[in-house]
Structures are given as structure tokens and as C-alpha cells.
Amino acid sequence: MLILSIVIALATFVLVDFSRSSHVSPDLAKFMIAFTALAILGHIAIRRLAPTADPLLYPIAILLAGFGYGFIRRLAPDLASAQLGWIAIGMVAFIATLAIVRDHRQLDQFRYSFLLLGIALLLLPLSPIGSTLGRGVKLWVRLGPLAFQPAELAKVVLALFLAGYLASKREVMTITTARVGPLGLPAPRHFGPLFLAWGLSLAVMFYERDLGSSTLFFALFVITLYAATSRSAYALAGIVMFSGGVWYAYNHFAHVSIRICAWLHPWSATDIQCGINGAGRQIAQSAFALGSGGLTGTGLGLGHPQLIDPGLRSGTLPTDFIFAAIGEEIGFIGTVAILLLFGLIAARGFHIALRSRDTFGTLLATGLTVIITVQALLIMGGVSRLLPLTGITLPFVSYGGSSIFANFILIALLIRISDGEAVT
Amino acid sequence: MPTIVLTTLKYLFLALLYLFIARAVRVVYLDLVGPRVPKPRDGRARQAPARRRGSPRSIVVTEQDKPVRTFPLDDEITFGRSESCRVQLDDTYVSTLHARMFSKDGTWFVEDLGSTNGTYLNRVKVTSPSPIAVGDEIRVGKTIAEIRRS
């Protein structure tokens, strides 16, 4: 499986170069060797540290990372070496996670440290070292020359806390004290954590203007809570609170209403509808890109991604809009393949969750899988105009150090849980 | 570069992508149904005769996150989440009243009581009261009960 995924990744690199200039650029071999070496290194680490782990997750992650890397080389060649560096750092984090966490249950005891760390990471961009990087979204932290997006790491840390917390509180939160129709209602005070999560994600949305992370955190919380208690009252309350939050944000926050307006009217070129000139231009262009890809795409390296974002002005092409560029070049069939790959990650993740022998492992695997799938759905839906666009990365594929780093740790944790289950 | 070559490469690439997915789906499928093993005509035929000797005396219940418990086979045993069950289980995949074991004419049987997720005797789903013997394994939800002679 791994060999096949490396072959596909390398084929992406070669094809992109080949079709653009009909010869392969000389430094390509260097990148190919480096990427292959990294992939094999990770594989050896799994073999030694988690020999009975899930056989699919790692090859899929490598395939997506390699595929994304090929596209970043094509879309923003100057970012290519940086991305390879990030993949290398991600791989180090991956191996370190496998080496340090020998049994996922030992993470359970640090749950409140994880909570504090998670909240701190979430709110860090609001502190003086926070930076907007001029994109109107306050989710970066500057440390010297490096800009880091702490929300990416916060999601993994909060999933760890949630799993630990709910594993111990599951029983009291499941007990129903009142009934409304067919719905059993748990005691009102158990809704407290739900409100806390709601407030936290609203704060993220309001102060950091990060719609994507905000939605992701709330989804993570509600779904894990539902998985732990199997009480639909929590899920229902979550949906109601989410709708309320969306409604309020739409009416009161300009950056939210522009997003939704741009989603509904992407074709209006003037400022009549949304108050900003060309608010929906990016969405319209990405729809054109996906459309011109047709059934099988233009071929790798032959699309026109520069039209999505002329002159790479906003810098979102290799991150948020990478899926549109990919869609143009590999077409409908190719994008379905990408969707299937994320679907496979979800299937494996929930499979690991079901087979884990302890509640903490089950809930942790559920939470981590929810993060990856919801994030992939949010951005793919946003780019294809199924959902309002939220700036968030496509896991493993998009350019971005924090995202690659956090997702490799996430996969390492899933692999660790899957390894534990086989030892009976 | 001639277009025909590029088009061929394009389809080749997509084919490769789907080859990967097909192999991955195969792994998932094999994981769900289990590797293909020659199926014995009767689900319990591969039990070694030696293990079947002696009559069942007790069951050993192994439940997730819980210490192992042993129950003597003297009277009817019920499995379920309900407090009234002799083997009360705290397992999400177990029904309130899930299964029972009873003896008739000196033989012990296991019967599923209309549970949601089913009862399995040596990995075979129990559809009607089935006789059990020493060494058999009964699974309800994530919990395993093993039949012992002592």
C-alpha cells in the first residue's frame, strides 16, 4: 500500500513538471528522494513502535501529503521547499508521538493540563504576540521569523481532553431525569460544558474571526458528547445552539454576513449585494475552475489556477483553494477519489474507535476522526459552494506548517490507539 | 509534448489513484468479514472433541474496563444492562435484556432474547437456543463469556 502511495505521489511531481515545460526540472530528483526517504522513515517507525497498527491510515496520509506537495510545487514553487521542510518536521513529530506515547491510556491522566493548554493555544492569537498577517483573520502567532497557527494544534489537544473528561463523566451525563416526548433529558447542569464549548467557539469566531476553527471545535464537542452518551438531547441542543449562533453572527458580525452573502451571490461582480466589491469572486472563480475540469480534468499541470487568485494576491491558493486547483486538473473523477480517501480515513477512524477496548480510546479515536473529516468537508464544501466558505486547510494536502504538524500528530495518535487494540 | 501522450498520462494517473483506493477498500472489506477461511459445515464442528468432555460448571465474564467475574452455572443466567439480570453488564452494545443461558435435560443452552446487536456463540450468531459445551465462547456486545468446567 505504501509503495503504491509513494508511486502516486512521485507521479504527481513528475507529471506536473512534464506537462508544463515538457522536461523535468533538475532539482526534482532531489525532492523525490527526500519525500521517499521521509515516507519510508515513518513506515519503519510504525513497524518498530506500533507493529500491529492499522495498515491503511499511514499510506493514505502519505498519499495526500505527497499529492498536495506536488500541487504546491506547481501553484507556488517558492513555497515548495518550505512545505517539504514542514512535512519533515511533521514526520519527526509523528515518530516522536509514537515513541513517547507507548499506550494511549497514559494520556488520560493529563486531561486537565490538555484543557488548559488547548484554551491557551486558542486564545494565544489575541495576546500581544498574535498577528493577523494582514488577512483579517487573527489566528497567527509570531515567534521570531516563524508564524504559527495555534488553533491547528489546539484541536488535537482539546480532543485529548474531551475524551478523558467524557470517559469519566459519561455515566452521570447519560442518566435522564426528565422526558419531553420521546426525548430523555439529562439533568440541566450537565448541559453546562456544552454552553462552555459554545461560548468558547463564539469567542474564537468573534475575536479571531476564524469561522472554520469555530465550527470545527463545536462540531468536535457535540459529536464526541453524543458518541459518549448516545443521548440525542445533547446533539439536538447542539444543533439548536449552533443555529442560534449562526443566526446571531449573520446579523451582527460583518465578516460573517459577507461570507454568507458571497456564498449566496457569488456571481454579482459589483457591490450591490454584499457591500464589498467582488466579495464572491474567489468562490465564483473556484466554481469555474471545478467546472472547466469536467469529468477527467485538464491533466496535471495544465489547468489555470492563476485565475482563481491572480498574482497569488491573497495567498490562499495553496491553502484554502487548493481543492479547486486540484479539481480543475484531475476533474470530477479525481476529486471523487480525494473524497473517497477522506472517507476511508473516516471509516478506519471509526473502526478503530469501535474496536478500542477502553472508553478513553474509543472517544479519542472518535474525536480525532471527527476533526479530520469535518475539516475536510468544511473546506471542500466551501470551495465547491456547498457550504459558506470558511478559511481552513484541507488536511495533509494544503500548504501550511501548523496544519501538517498537527495532522501528523493526530494520525500518530490514531495509529497508536489502533495498535493497542490488537494486544489482547 | 503531444497532447495524446499527456491525455494517456492523465488517464494513467487517475487509474493509479483508483487502484490505490480499490486496494484500500479491499483491506477494509477483509477487516469487516474476516479473512476467508474454509467454512465448516456446522459452525461448531471444528471444536476439538477433547474440549467438549465434561459438563459446564461456570462462566467467566470479561467486560471492557472491568475486572473479570466468574458465575457458577447452577441456575438460569440472564445477560443484560438491566439491574435484574444476573450478569449485569455496563456495555453500550448490550440490550436491557440481552440473552439467557438455561439448562434442559442436563444440557446447557444459550438463547438470544431479541437483542439489538445479537448474541454470538464461537463467532456464529445465535438464532435459536443452541447447546453449549466447555470451552465455548459467548459474545454479547463487547463482552465475552467463556464456558468453564470448574
Side-chain angles (χ1 to χ4, degrees):
Chain A
M1 287 303 287
L2 182 69
I3 295 171
L4 198 56
S5 68
I6 294 178
V7 167
I8 296 177
L10 295 184
T12 319
F13 302 176
V14 177
L15 272 178
V16 166
D17 268 31
F18 209 49
S19 2
R20 286 218 297 167
S21 48
S22 74
H23 65 83
V24 177
S25 71
D27 62 338
L28 185 67
K30 199 175 67 193
F31 282 121
M32 287 170 73
I33 292 169
F35 183 81
T36 314
L38 282 174
I40 292 174
L41 203 68
H43 180 68
I44 294 171
I46 295 178
R47 271 292 164 84
R48 304 202 67 161
L49 297 169
T52 56
D54 188 280
L56 277 181
L57 282 173
Y58 182 70
I60 295 176
I62 284 297
L63 174 58
L64 288 172
F67 190 67
Y69 177 64
F71 264 88
I72 289 159
R73 254 179 68 83
R74 172 212 186 323
L75 300 173
D78 43 328
L79 292 179
S81 348
Q83 175 77 349
L84 191 62
W86 287 121
I87 294 179
I89 293 173
M91 196 57 78
V92 170
F94 176 83
I95 296 170
T97 310
L98 282 181
I100 296 168
V101 186
R102 301 315 289 261
D103 183 340
H104 61 270
R105 274 164 290 186
Q106 74 199 46
L107 293 170
D108 195 7
Q109 55 188 311
F110 303 119
R111 68 173 81 124
Y112 289 104
S113 323
F114 283 130
L115 174 65
L116 287 178
L117 184 64
I119 292 180
L121 283 171
L122 263 187
L123 301 181
L124 209 53
L126 300 177
S127 68
I129 52 167
S131 166
T132 59
L133 289 187
R135 288 180 206 170
V137 184
K138 202 166 190 187
L139 38 73
W140 300 82
V141 165
R142 270 196 181 286
L143 284 175
L146 283 177
F148 191 75
Q149 217 172 329
E152 292 281 351
L153 202 58
K155 62 189 187 185
V156 179
V157 175
L158 283 179
L160 281 166
F161 159 72
L162 267 181
Y165 176 77
L166 290 174
S168 61
K169 292 282 155 63
R170 188 166 82 95
E171 276 152 36
V172 286
M173 293 183 83
T174 310
I175 298 166
T176 54
T177 51
R179 296 193 76 72
V180 177
L183 216 65
L185 284 182
R189 66 194 172 96
H190 294 311
F191 282 96
L194 195 60
F195 278 102
L196 208 70
W198 188 58
L200 195 65
S201 39
L202 277 184
V204 168
M205 181 172 72
F206 183 63
Y207 292 110
E208 302 177 11
R209 307 180 145 218
D210 186 358
L211 285 182
S213 302
S214 169
T215 316
L216 183 60
F217 284 122
F218 198 60
L220 165 69
F221 189 86
V222 173
I223 296 175
T224 318
L225 184 59
Y226 179 55
T229 60
S230 66
R231 284 273 167 256
S232 39
Y234 287 121
L236 221 63
I239 293 170
V240 170
M241 286 162 78
F242 179 71
S243 318
V246 168
W247 181 247
Y248 181 79
Y250 178 60
N251 285 316
H252 291 85
F253 301 148
H255 63 280
V256 178
S257 51
I258 286 176
R259 294 269 172 136
I260 293 184
C261 179
W263 170 54
L264 293 174
H265 314 284
W267 317 115
S268 71
T270 56
D271 57 354
I272 305 166
Q273 256 142 344
C274 303
I276 279 190
N277 216 345
R281 209 191 53 80
Q282 277 191 322
I283 299 179
Q285 289 300 341
S286 83
F288 279 129
L290 287 172
S292 66
L295 197 58
T296 57
T298 54
L300 287 172
L302 297 175
H304 310 90
Q306 64 278 9
L307 291 179
I308 299 174
D309 189 12
L312 298 171
R313 204 175 39 196
S314 66
T316 52
L317 183 57
T319 57
D320 300 355
F321 279 97
I322 197 163
F323 186 66
I326 292 175
E328 180 180 9
E329 303 199 344
I330 60 177
F332 174 71
I333 294 182
T335 47
V336 168
I338 303 284
L339 264 174
L340 283 173
L341 288 176
F342 280 110
L344 278 168
I345 292 187
R348 293 314 282 183
F350 289 131
H351 181 74
I352 292 171
L354 282 176
R355 275 185 35 188
S356 174
R357 280 168 302 117
D358 57 296
T359 318
F360 176 67
T362 302
L363 294 179
L364 183 58
T366 310
L368 296 175
T369 313
V370 164
I371 290 176
I372 283 219
T373 32
V374 169
Q375 195 172 345
L377 277 181
L378 274 180
I379 187 61
M380 291 197 284
V383 167
S384 56
R385 217 163 82 81
L386 179 70
L387 303 167
L389 184 66
T390 47
I392 205 166
T393 54
L394 186 56
F396 296 111
V397 181
S398 289
Y399 171 76
S402 339
S403 166
I404 294 275
F405 181 77
N407 283 319
F408 267 109
I409 292 184
L410 196 158
I411 284 289
L413 287 175
L414 272 179
I415 285 177
R416 173 50 75 212
I417 300 171
S418 74
D419 184 46
E421 86 199 2
V423 190
T424 356
Chain B
M1 190 54 49
T3 329
I4 181 83
V5 178
L6 286 177
T7 313
T8 319
L9 285 176
K10 182 178 92 177
Y11 286 115
L12 217 61
F13 181 79
L14 287 175
L16 217 55
L17 212 52
Y18 275 89
L19 179 65
F20 179 88
I21 290 173
R23 302 233 349 221
V25 168
R26 208 179 99 87
V27 173
V28 173
Y29 175 74
L30 286 182
D31 237 31
L32 286 180
V33 299
R36 207 174 295 168
V37 279
K39 206 175 178 183
R41 216 165 294 156
D42 171 8
R44 300 168 15 72
R46 58 192 148 135
Q47 285 282 327
R51 287 175 68 196
R52 294 171 129 281
R53 240 177 266 141
S55 57
R57 291 265 165 71
S58 67
I59 57 167
V60 177
V61 177
T62 317
E63 191 183 352
Q64 177 179 254
D65 297 339
K66 292 264 171 74
V68 172
R69 290 179 289 174
T70 309
F71 295 87
L73 276 181
D74 41 18
D75 199 4
E76 180 179 298
I77 287 191
T78 44
F79 295 84
R81 278 206 305 208
S82 158
E83 297 274 340
S84 62
C85 291
R86 246 183 101 188
V87 182
Q88 202 251 319
L89 298 167
D90 179 28
D91 183 330
T92 327
Y93 301 95
V94 169
S95 300
T96 317
L97 191 55
H98 195 109
R100 69 176 183 135
M101 288 171 69
F102 61 97
S103 99
K104 198 181 172 197
D105 306 331
T107 314
W108 279 89
F109 291 87
V110 62
E111 181 184 18
D112 186 79
L113 299 172
S115 68
T116 312
N117 293 315
T119 304
Y120 293 80
L121 177 59
N122 297 328
R123 291 172 169 254
V124 182
K125 193 163 181 169
V126 175
T127 46
S128 55
S130 319
I132 51 174
V134 172
D136 281 355
E137 218 177 63
I138 295 169
R139 188 170 69 78
V140 290
K142 283 185 172 183
T143 307
I144 304 235
E146 203 183 321
I147 317 298
R148 293 277 171 87
R149 197 181 346 182
S150 55

